[in-house]
Amino acid sequence: MDVAFTMPIVIGTSIFPGEILGLLGFSYKSSCPVLEIVMLSSLLLVSMATVNNLCYAYKKYKYVLLTRLAASIPRLVLYLLLTPIWASTSTALSFAIGSVTGVFATLMIVPRIGLNLDWKKLIKIFFVPCWLVSPLVYCLRFLLMFFGFRAPL
């Protein structure tokens, strides 16, 4: 259910970060790549949170700890190493890389807790909301242009 609500917002925000950040002001223009990276990596967090919730329900706290550490340790190390070099973009990349490592750890834990994933249904769950939101996003863009709103890109 999280994916059904999260996916349209994430896709819309990652497709049009300029328009959304333009609502906040012109000075936020440089944050478009950061917003795109964070939004796309948040999709990974939904799948990781789902498995973590199941581990909590099964009282498998060790697995929850392992997945959280697998996501947090790379983030922390990369934050410390890359942020002085590339500032906010490296922070977003560190977040994304930590999300990827967390999902890999989650995928390794899935068989151990006895969760059988139906990949066909999972693909439908991820892509149907994307398919549904696409016309809405383009209609929104048309309306913004029609009313003369020009966001910095």
Side-chain angles (χ1 to χ4, degrees), residues 2-121:
D2 290 342
V3 175
F5 292 115
T6 306
M7 187 73 72
I9 294 169
V10 167
I11 297 300
T13 305
S14 60
I15 291 174
F16 302 113
E19 284 81 3
I20 292 171
L21 291 173
L23 295 172
L24 300 174
F26 185 75
S27 61
Y28 291 93
K29 177 184 173 185
S30 63
S31 300
C32 287
V34 175
L35 182 62
E36 289 174 348
I37 294 168
V38 170
M39 285 290 108
L40 293 175
S41 64
S42 68
L43 294 175
L44 299 173
L45 295 177
V46 172
S47 61
M48 193 170 98
T50 303
V51 175
N52 275 337
N53 289 339
L54 184 63
C55 289
Y56 273 121
Y58 287 168
K59 297 183 181 179
K60 306 275 185 174
Y61 303 119
K62 180 177 85 172
Y63 294 141
V64 175
L65 176 67
L66 290 174
T67 57
R68 298 291 174 146
L69 286 176
S72 297
I73 291 173
R75 281 183 193 154
L76 179 63
V77 170
L78 291 173
Y79 286 153
L80 294 174
L81 294 176
L82 297 178
T83 301
I85 300 169
W86 292 324
S88 60
T89 304
S90 66
T91 305
L93 285 173
S94 302
F95 183 77
I97 292 169
S99 300
V100 169
T101 58
V103 168
F104 283 139
T106 301
L107 290 175
M108 293 173 64
I109 287 172
V110 162
R112 294 180 184 174
I113 61 172
L115 179 62
N116 296 325
L117 296 175
D118 186 358
W119 292 103
K120 289 181 183 178
K121 287 183 182 177

